[in-house]
């Protein structure tokens, strides 16, 4: 019954992993992707996979602390990111506003260094739902400690774990497991 929110959904690779991991039994999913080329791939992947189609929606926006229009470096790759020197403007939305009436159970953020701002726009959801969090903490060196400290401020009851998914320290993720949620 997972409701998964994928911030920085890229081409839908993590959503496909969710469908495989759950055997397609998740409740709902939403993927946020600001890069137009990646967004087109994301929509195509959702439409092509019957485990995703119908329960997964794609939102063409970046995730942040406030609703705004921001510059974005659209590379069509995994490193597309908000940037003052970006070649396009994109919508940026706070999850608290966009998912106000919804109850996500798992939020993943891999948004190339904008994680702290996105957490600021997710405070109400975290307080209300205590979803499982998987927040990348490697794009900016200080995020290795700032992200866990911020999550601890938002909900002190979370159990926090840092896990490297690559030997060289890249793909360091801060997992926040809410009270009563089993580790797996």
């Amino acid at each position: 019954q997972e409701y998964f929110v994928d911030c920085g959904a890229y081409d839908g690779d993590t959503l496909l992993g969710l469908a495989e991991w759950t055997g397609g039994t998740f409740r709902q999913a939403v993927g946020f992707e600001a890069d137009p080329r990646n967004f087109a791939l994301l929509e195509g992947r959702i439409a092509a996979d019957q485990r995703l189609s119908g329960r997964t929606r794609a939102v063409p926006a970046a995730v942040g602390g406030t609703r705004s229009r921001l510059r974005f470096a659209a590379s069509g790759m995994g490193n597309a990111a908000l940037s003052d020197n970006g070649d396009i403007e994109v919508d940026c939305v706070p999850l608290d506003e966009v998912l106000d009436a919804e109850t996500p159970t798992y939020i993943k953020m891999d948004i190339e260094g904008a994680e702290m701002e996105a957490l600021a726009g997710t405070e109400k959801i975290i307080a209300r739902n205590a979803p499982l969090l998987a927040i990348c903490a490697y794009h900016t060196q200080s995020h290795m400690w700032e992200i866990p400290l911020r999550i601890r401020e938002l909900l002190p009851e979370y159990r926090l774990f840092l896990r490297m998914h690559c030997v060289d320290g890249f793909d360091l993720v801060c997992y926040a497991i809410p009270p009563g949620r089993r580790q797996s």
Side-chain angles (χ1 to χ4, degrees):
Q1 289 301 306
E2 207 73 74
Y3 176 178
F4 183 69
V5 178
D6 190 353
C7 303
Y10 182 47
D11 64 359
D13 57 343
T14 302
L15 291 167
L16 183 60
L18 171 74
E20 291 171 5
W21 178 62
T22 64
T25 61
F26 64 95
R27 178 170 39 110
Q28 185 176 352
V30 58
F32 290 85
E33 178 55 52
D35 185 292
R37 286 179 278 184
N38 292 340
F39 185 79
L41 295 171
L42 171 64
E43 284 189 310
R45 182 164 272 170
I46 291 170
D49 192 310
Q50 69 183 86
R51 297 170 301 178
L52 297 173
S53 184
R55 286 181 289 158
T56 305
R57 73 182 192 273
V59 178
V63 176
T66 60
R67 184 174 286 275
S68 58
R69 297 262 313 153
L70 298 172
R71 303 294 306 169
F72 190 85
S75 67
M77 299 171 42
N79 66 347
L82 294 171
S83 170
D84 291 338
N85 301 320
D87 51 334
I88 63 171
E89 278 194 359
V90 298
D91 289 323
C92 184
V93 298
L95 292 182
D96 282 340
E97 183 180 313
V98 177
L99 304 178
D100 180 46
E102 300 177 42
T103 56
T105 60
Y106 192 149
I107 298 173
K108 168 244 170 193
M109 292 181 183
D110 186 357
I111 47 179
E112 306 305 309
E115 289 82 4
M116 290 294 288
E117 293 82 7
L119 281 170
T122 311
E123 292 178 3
K124 292 177 187 172
I125 288 173
I126 291 172
R128 181 180 69 231
N129 300 338
L132 185 121
L133 302 175
I135 312 298
C136 286
Y138 70 95
H139 297 108
T140 300
Q141 186 176 18
S142 63
H143 282 183
M144 186 169 68
W145 60 87
E146 289 174 346
I147 287 173
L149 288 172
R150 183 66 184 125
I151 292 170
R152 176 70 67 206
E153 289 173 357
L154 295 173
L155 193 66
E157 296 82 18
Y158 272 125
R159 290 174 290 150
L160 301 178
F161 301 88
L162 286 173
R163 178 177 179 208
M164 284 189 306
H165 291 271
C166 293
V167 176
D168 57 7
F170 284 101
D171 289 341
L172 179 69
V173 177
C174 179
Y175 292 95
I177 302 173
R181 177 106 182 210
R182 181 178 63 88
Q183 277 181 246
S184 52

